[in-house]
Amino acid sequence: MRQLSLKGRTYPTDLNPGGTAFGGWVMAKMDKAASIAVDDIIKSPAVTVTVSRINFLKPIHNGDIFTIYTEITAIGTSSITIYVSVEVKNVETNEQYEVTSAEFKFVAINAEGKPVNVRSVLRDQIDEDTQALL
Ligand SMILES: CC(C)(COP(=O)(O)OP(=O)(O)OC[C@H]1O[C@@H](n2cnc3c(N)ncnc32)[C@H](O)[C@@H]1OP(=O)(O)O)[C@@H](O)C(=O)NCCC(=O)NCCS
């Protein structure tokens, strides 16, 4: 299920010398959004293991309000894959469009930092779409 995981605004300290949002800053926001989506379904901590297919489709400008949507697309033994999409709203037209997308993979871990089976740390209530991936 696609869900809104993070929302915010771009400020001057988030920009690259060209005046648009710095890619690493965008990735950090996406990582946080993905971790929130993971937290929604499991009780244990989880760490990012890979980030793939990152696409900076359009620039994000100073003052833009961004919304980050997440969707869990796969669940392995200890891993959870999340599609992350950043969208920006054009304040004049009210049109919202995708600016960046990527696939994040998280691994559920125990207190020793070792992978654990996702099914052993699931929250009591998870949405039907995620349930179908198990
Ligand atoms: C993530 C981590 C716990 C995995 O430990 P590991 O001993 O390599 O674990 P495994 O080899 O059993 O792999 C665990 C899962 O990750 C997946 N994985 C590991 N490396 C991968 C890679 N390079 N690409 C894709 N998947 C990978 C495995 O396929 C496996 O998935 P599955 O259980 O669903 O089948 C360990 O590599 C680690 O601590 N990395 C640092 C994480 C970190 O600091 N992230 C940044 C801050 S959050």
Side-chain angles (χ1 to χ4, degrees):
M1 187 183 69
R2 179 175 136 109
Q3 64 175 32
L4 193 165
S5 294
L6 201 69
K7 193 167 182 177
R9 187 191 280 277
T10 315
Y11 289 95
T13 50
D14 311 323
L15 308 181
N16 62 36
T20 57
F22 173 54
W25 176 84
V26 181
M27 286 178 72
K29 296 287 178 200
M30 295 171 85
D31 198 28
K32 283 177 187 163
S35 79
I36 289 169
V38 168
D39 255 29
D40 279 347
I41 69 157
I42 60 167
K43 297 178 246 186
S44 77
V47 287
T48 315
V49 68
T50 59
V51 183
S52 51
R53 297 194 298 141
I54 186 146
N55 263 298
F56 293 99
L57 304 162
K58 295 194 169 109
I60 305 176
H61 299 98
N62 185 31
D64 276 351
I65 291 173
F66 61 87
T67 310
I68 306 185
Y69 295 93
T70 56
E71 182 170 6
I72 292 173
T73 54
I75 298 179
T77 303
S78 66
S79 69
I80 299 169
T81 304
I82 312 104
Y83 178 77
V84 181
S85 171
V86 186
E87 296 188 3
V88 161
K89 190 184 249 185
N90 179 315
V91 285
E92 283 162 21
T93 63
N94 222 27
E95 178 210 2
Q96 192 154 303
Y97 55 93
E98 190 173 53
V99 291
T100 311
S101 65
E103 192 174 85
F104 283 70
K105 193 187 248 195
F106 276 61
V107 174
I109 54 167
N110 61 19
E112 286 74 49
K114 298 291 175 208
V116 292
N117 194 313
V118 171
R119 287 147 196 84
S120 67
V121 291
L122 278 178
R123 292 197 182 278
D124 295 336
Q125 289 195 323
I126 55 170
D127 68 87
E128 276 180 19
D129 292 345
T130 306
Q131 191 97 44
L133 298 171
L134 293 167

